[in-house]
Amino acid sequence: MPDLDLRPLSLGEILDRTFTLYRRNFLLFFGITALPQLLVLGFNLCQVLFSGRLGTARATSGSFAILWIVGVFAGLIVYLVAYLFAHGGSVYAVSDLYLGRSTSIGASLRRMRGQVGTLLGVLILNGLVVMAAFIFLIIPGVYMACRLMTCIPAALLENLGPRTSLERSFALTRDNAWRAFVIYLLYFAIFYAMFFLFAFPFMIALGFSATNPAMVTMWTMFMQVGSSLATILVTPIVTIASTVFYYDLRVRKEAFDLQIMMNPNEAALPSSTGLPSILS
């Protein structure tokens, strides 16, 4: 059995296990998040430099708008790829550690090969459902985001498709949305604290240097580095917590702890719960 035994947990214990896993395996989760995020940072820095050089040509070049649109789409692709690998790799790492298996940065990221398409579908469908709920005011949107918190762990660890993973998460989190809400609340509080620490000072310097293009470019680059550092440090918190939360729900509702004791090789397979889902 792993050091972190599988049993029903209170919200405080979920958060405690999240930070314990992160602290004991800091380099592992830092590396899983940092490697994809470096791709985003590199793209953003190139975009800042390129935009600075084109700044004087905006009024005379009709191609600037086209280049800007291409840059937006390219940036979106880079961000999505980085997010999927960082989030998925972290989920696999937490699962391995939770089930007493050894893992590494490379092994966790390699397991994402062949899963990007499925996870992209989960992300898009999740976003559409949450946005549709937000149309009916903020509270329904937040509620749906909380109910779908475990869709990515479900998709990866049970090999589910996009729709099935959302249904699975909606069933597992029944009567537990408030715990997901507290996890999200803590994550955003820590993220914005880190952002103000690492990036906000450069935003202030940027405002004071608005009339100096060279200084604007330099402070913008520093701001991008600070924002990326905050993202790298804080992102593992929500990915670890959502995976621990997923396992806790399976222990509570499906006796997952007994499954893994009886048959460790099949413990991560999907199980039929008969619980209601959002899409079925």
Side-chain angles (χ1 to χ4, degrees):
M1 288 293 292
D3 293 335
L4 297 174
D5 60 304
L6 290 169
R7 59 179 176 82
L9 303 174
S10 66
L11 176 60
E13 288 174 318
I14 291 175
L15 297 176
D16 178 68
R17 289 196 174 190
T18 296
F19 288 105
T20 298
L21 273 172
Y22 193 16
R23 185 180 68 253
R24 291 180 179 176
N25 304 275
F26 176 78
L27 292 179
L28 171 66
F29 291 110
F30 182 87
I32 291 173
T33 308
L35 289 180
Q37 185 63 32
L38 286 176
L39 182 64
V40 177
L41 177 60
F43 179 86
N44 289 339
L45 293 179
C46 290
Q47 195 173 38
V48 170
L49 288 173
F50 190 64
S51 298
R53 293 181 179 180
L54 284 181
T56 57
R58 293 183 184 182
T60 59
S61 175
S63 63
F64 179 81
I66 298 176
L67 292 175
W68 183 83
I69 294 173
V70 171
V72 169
F73 278 103
L76 180 61
I77 293 173
V78 170
Y79 171 79
L80 284 176
V81 170
Y83 174 82
L84 294 176
F85 270 87
H87 199 144
S90 296
V91 168
Y92 280 128
V94 174
S95 179
D96 285 337
L97 294 171
Y98 224 75
L99 301 181
R101 297 190 290 258
S102 61
T103 188
S104 65
I105 297 172
S108 299
L109 292 175
R110 280 194 298 271
R111 292 180 67 180
M112 278 301 299
R113 290 185 298 186
Q115 299 288 346
V116 174
T118 299
L119 205 56
L120 179 61
V122 173
L123 187 64
I124 293 174
L125 187 57
N126 188 354
L128 291 175
V129 171
V130 173
M131 284 191 296
F134 266 112
I135 295 176
F136 300 98
L137 300 179
I138 295 176
I139 293 178
V142 172
Y143 175 76
M144 289 307 304
C146 294
R147 290 296 301 271
L148 299 177
M149 184 182 208
T150 59
C151 62
I152 291 180
L156 293 176
L157 302 178
E158 300 183 24
N159 296 317
L160 303 178
R163 172 174 171 166
T164 310
S165 66
L166 265 67
E167 294 176 345
R168 177 76 164 133
S169 179
F170 195 78
L172 284 174
T173 56
R174 183 182 181 183
D175 300 324
N176 287 273
W178 68 274
R179 296 203 291 168
F181 175 76
V182 174
I183 292 172
Y184 275 131
L185 192 64
L186 179 64
Y187 161 72
F188 282 113
I190 296 175
F191 174 78
Y192 282 111
M194 288 291 184
F195 180 83
F196 275 100
L197 178 64
F198 293 114
F200 189 69
F202 302 119
M203 292 179 64
I204 297 176
L206 182 62
F208 284 110
S209 306
T211 58
N212 188 332
M215 294 300 294
V216 167
T217 299
M218 183 187 74
W219 291 125
T220 303
M221 293 178 68
F222 278 124
M223 185 178 66
Q224 292 288 350
V225 173
S227 178
S228 294
L229 181 58
T231 300
I232 291 170
L233 289 173
V234 181
T235 297
I237 294 175
V238 72
T239 53
I240 296 172
S242 64
T243 309
V244 173
F245 185 39
Y246 161 81
Y247 275 123
D248 176 64
L249 293 172
R250 291 198 63 183
V251 169
R252 287 174 176 272
K253 300 188 175 186
E254 302 170 357
F256 180 77
D257 51 337
L258 298 180
Q259 293 181 45
I260 194 171
M261 284 191 292
M262 292 186 294
N263 196 339
N265 294 325
E266 296 183 5
L269 293 178
S271 59
S272 176
T273 63
L275 296 174
S277 67
I278 180 178
L279 299 177
S280 60

